[in-house]
Amino acid sequence: MFFNIINTIGPTIIPNNPISLNPVYIAISVNIGWIPIWLLIILGSINCLVTITIIYTITKETDKVIYDFDGTLSPRNMQEFGLLQALGYDNPNDFWNLCDQLAKTNDAGGIAVVMYAIQAAAQRAGLRCTRDFLRSYGKTVTFFPGVEQWFEQINAYAAQIGVEVKHYINSSGIKEMIEGCAIAHQFEQIYACTYLYDSNGDACWPSVVVDYTKKTQFLFKINKGIREVSDRVRINEFVPSEERPVPFERMIYFGDGETDVPCM
């Protein structure tokens, strides 16, 4: 086995890509016998909370690229691009401080509290918290420079080396808002928090809460080829690694925060 440090490149994986995610990338070629393997090591992250290691082999197969959303593709929490203001929080920090206090007072999970607080604030403001309401505020979310161009560029680059790329979201944000954003069509699947809706179409209860360890479950769903969030049988069945449709070695994960750490 030998290691060959090819180069240290800036905040891009491919030439002339305008994306600016801040970390430093080091590309390393590793030969194990005749098998070439590439390691792409990201040192640091958008807010320097985590270090991400990406490993993949260059073969004519499908790679799954999995992204966190807030702080990874978008510079702020998605709720801060208009939703919180519509709910009466001109200063988003007031909302987050309320959620922190509710979580501590009730010894509750922070993500579930955020979902409750959004629903409760909508009721107080006389607004219907429907799918369309949440999706409308997904349209106002903005992204880091280059993110909207990233998908076509990386897909084209992968095609040149005989690799098909499929993109996934694994987020603690609101699924309906992600569905409404400008890049939603780029994703094969969006795993994120969502609500149950009553017969009138109003949010009445969280149906999926994505916290620290829930994100790892979605990686296993991708690994086993399971699309349904509701599945609780196949996800727990033993499947030999060689029979799983998406090996972990074919996954690339982008994240920036504490909820992404278990996925590393």
Side-chain angles (χ1 to χ4, degrees):
M1 178 189 297
F2 66 88
F3 292 78
N4 178 29
I5 299 180
I6 303 301
N7 59 356
T8 301
I9 57 181
T12 63
I13 296 177
I14 56 178
N16 303 318
N17 177 46
I19 195 168
S20 56
L21 294 180
N22 295 335
V24 174
Y25 300 86
I26 301 175
I28 301 175
S29 173
V30 183
N31 277 24
I32 304 176
W34 59 271
I35 304 173
I37 299 178
W38 290 85
L39 283 71
L40 181 63
I41 302 176
I42 302 180
L43 304 177
S45 65
I46 292 167
N47 59 7
C48 300
L49 283 180
V50 297
T51 298
I52 308 165
T53 302
I54 301 170
I55 303 176
Y56 63 97
T57 58
I58 299 179
T59 62
K60 290 185 178 180
E61 298 186 30
T62 300
D63 283 342
K64 310 293 186 181
V65 186
I66 303 152
Y67 309 84
D68 172 51
F69 195 92
D70 296 333
T72 299
L73 299 177
S74 180
R76 303 197 307 273
N77 292 313
M78 62 183 70
Q79 298 90 342
E80 297 178 10
F81 291 94
L83 175 61
L84 293 184
Q85 291 81 355
L87 298 179
Y89 293 96
D90 293 330
N91 182 355
N93 287 332
D94 293 339
F95 175 81
W96 302 120
N97 290 337
L98 171 66
C99 291
D100 287 342
Q101 187 59 46
L102 284 172
K104 291 175 181 177
T105 301
N106 295 278
D107 195 22
I111 305 301
V113 167
V114 168
M115 297 184 72
Y116 160 78
I118 289 173
Q119 181 185 348
Q123 291 177 344
R124 289 195 301 270
L127 299 171
R128 295 184 61 202
C129 189
T130 64
R131 287 187 178 89
D132 287 342
F133 173 77
L134 294 171
R135 286 172 182 160
S136 70
Y137 283 101
K139 295 178 181 178
T140 65
V141 173
T142 61
F143 303 95
F144 282 107
V147 165
E148 294 185 61
Q149 295 77 34
W150 159 260
F151 302 96
E152 290 185 5
Q153 291 188 5
I154 196 64
N155 291 346
Y157 177 73
Q160 291 176 11
I161 59 174
V163 175
E164 181 185 15
V165 176
K166 293 187 177 181
H167 307 271
Y168 292 77
I169 286 290
N170 193 11
S171 172
S172 292
I174 306 299
K175 181 179 181 179
E176 291 85 347
M177 295 187 69
I178 299 172
E179 289 174 339
C181 79
I183 59 175
H185 64 284
Q186 302 287 358
F187 302 109
E188 184 80 8
Q189 187 86 357
I190 297 172
Y191 295 109
C193 299
T194 188
Y195 289 95
L196 281 176
Y197 295 88
D198 62 22
S199 58
N200 295 318
D202 296 302
C204 58
W205 198 263
S207 63
V208 179
V209 178
V210 183
D211 58 11
Y212 302 88
T213 54
K214 189 74 170 181
K215 283 192 171 185
T216 62
Q217 182 186 126
F218 291 138
L219 290 187
F220 277 95
K221 285 184 181 289
I222 296 171
N223 173 242
K224 292 184 174 182
I226 302 169
R227 295 182 63 90
E228 300 84 5
V229 173
S230 59
D231 173 80
R232 58 181 182 180
V233 177
R234 288 183 295 157
I235 189 64
N236 293 312
E237 291 178 344
F238 173 74
V239 179
S241 297
E242 64 274 12
E243 296 179 13
R244 299 183 183 189
V246 185
F248 287 113
E249 292 80 7
R250 305 296 308 183
M251 295 184 189
I252 301 171
Y253 192 98
F254 286 97
D256 76 294
E258 294 177 350
T259 60
D260 300 303
V261 171
C263 291
M264 306 302 161

